[in-house]
Structure formats: C-alpha cells, structure tokens
Amino acid sequence: LSPVCLGSLRRAASINAEYMGMALIKTMGEKQKWDLNLGAIATMWKGGCIIRAKFLNDIKAAFDADPNLANLLMNKKFGDKVNEAQAAWRKVLCVAIQCGILTPAFSASLSYFDSYRRENLPANLTQAQRDYFGRHTYQRKDEVEGKYESGAWISANWQTPEEA
C-alpha cells in the first residue's frame, strides 16, 4: 500500500465522518423542528474543537449554497472527492481484512457510503430471517405494492419454528 493510497483512505473516511455527523444533526433537527444552520454549525466546530480541519470551510460553503442539502455526498465537490478515493478506500480495507487488522470505523464508514448511494439495499436476508422466526411478513418488489407475504420462501426441506 502506498502513502497516496493511505492518504486517500484518510480523506475519504474523514469526509464520510463529517457528512455522517451532519446527517445526524440534520435528522434530529428536523425531528425536533429546530431551525438549524448547518453551515454555521460547521464554522462553530472550527472555532474551538479538535476538528479544525480545512474542509469545514467547504462544508460551510456547501450548506450556504444549498441549506436544504440532504447529505454532503449530494454536493458535487464532496461527492467527487469521495468517489475519487473509493478505490483506495476499498483496497486498504481489503488488505487490512486479509491481514486480520480490525478496522471497524473505516469499514462501517464504507458501509454507510455504500448504503447511501444505493436505491435498494440487500435487506432480503434480514427480512427472510424475521419472517422465518416471527412471521413478520415481507413485501416482494415484483408484486403489487401493499401486498405482504409470509413463509412462501421456505423450502420444503426446512422446518418452520413451529415444527422444530
């Protein structure tokens, strides 16, 4: 792994941490009906916090340009930076995993990034487990919206919880 690769990982993970934090603040602000100025919040962090990163100015500029920005990933500058670093981010994590080096924050950060950029998430295994153990039902994507099923995916060789 090169220093450039590691630097790309650090930049991508740092940006990701900032937009995750801003997304949490924005979500809670909306829930509590607070009138938050996310650009001003980024400026406050710069004033007396350990986070005195240069890109807090860029965060402020992004929210000043679009106060309704859903997530910093939706800002072209931030989205481009993270996309450019994506290959290095994945490479470093692959090497770390192969070497048995724990990277929970970097791994979770990449998972957040991947989940944010997908229209549909692979939750079908979780839904199948929930239905199998508790008949929670599921909704198929190829069926009419609002139609829920339960148990239709169970193989004839499997036992339901009641049969076990």
Side-chain angles (χ1 to χ4, degrees):
L1 294 175
S2 71
V4 171
C5 192
L6 293 172
S8 292
L9 165 70
R10 185 202 51 79
R11 270 188 304 284
S14 294
I15 291 169
N16 198 36
E18 294 297 332
Y19 67 66
M20 287 170 68
M22 295 305 268
L24 287 170
I25 292 168
K26 180 179 173 62
T27 299
M28 185 52 87
E30 289 169 354
K31 201 176 247 187
Q32 297 296 328
K33 296 181 177 32
W34 296 333
D35 184 23
L36 298 178
N37 180 332
L38 296 175
I41 290 170
T43 302
M44 285 187 288
W45 282 345
K46 193 173 178 193
C49 182
I50 197 168
I51 306 175
R52 294 184 186 188
K54 292 179 186 176
F55 69 88
L56 287 173
N57 291 332
D58 296 334
I59 292 173
K60 180 185 181 335
F63 282 111
D64 285 351
D66 183 0
N68 296 317
L69 187 63
N71 189 301
L72 284 169
L73 277 178
M74 304 307 291
N75 173 272
K76 181 166 176 34
K77 184 174 186 173
F78 282 99
D80 288 350
K81 282 182 182 181
V82 173
N83 280 325
E84 288 167 11
Q86 193 180 155
W89 196 356
R90 293 178 192 286
K91 183 177 180 178
V92 172
L93 288 177
C94 285
V95 170
I97 290 166
Q98 288 174 334
C99 294
I101 299 170
L102 299 175
T103 58
F106 288 137
S107 299
S109 182
L110 182 59
S111 291
Y112 177 85
F113 171 72
D114 285 341
S115 71
Y116 196 82
R117 62 190 188 94
R118 300 220 189 295
E119 182 179 348
N120 295 305
L121 296 175
N124 45 353
L125 178 59
T126 303
Q127 287 301 107
Q129 289 173 331
R130 290 181 69 234
D131 186 58
Y132 182 78
F133 291 107
R135 298 279 188 232
H136 292 277
T137 72
Y138 56 92
Q139 185 175 355
R140 292 174 42 158
K141 292 183 183 277
D142 63 341
E143 294 285 335
V144 177
E145 190 168 329
K147 179 183 175 190
Y148 292 88
E149 299 184 23
S150 179
W153 55 269
I154 297 176
S155 166
N157 297 329
W158 293 4
Q159 291 182 328
T160 64
E162 294 82 31
E163 297 169 337

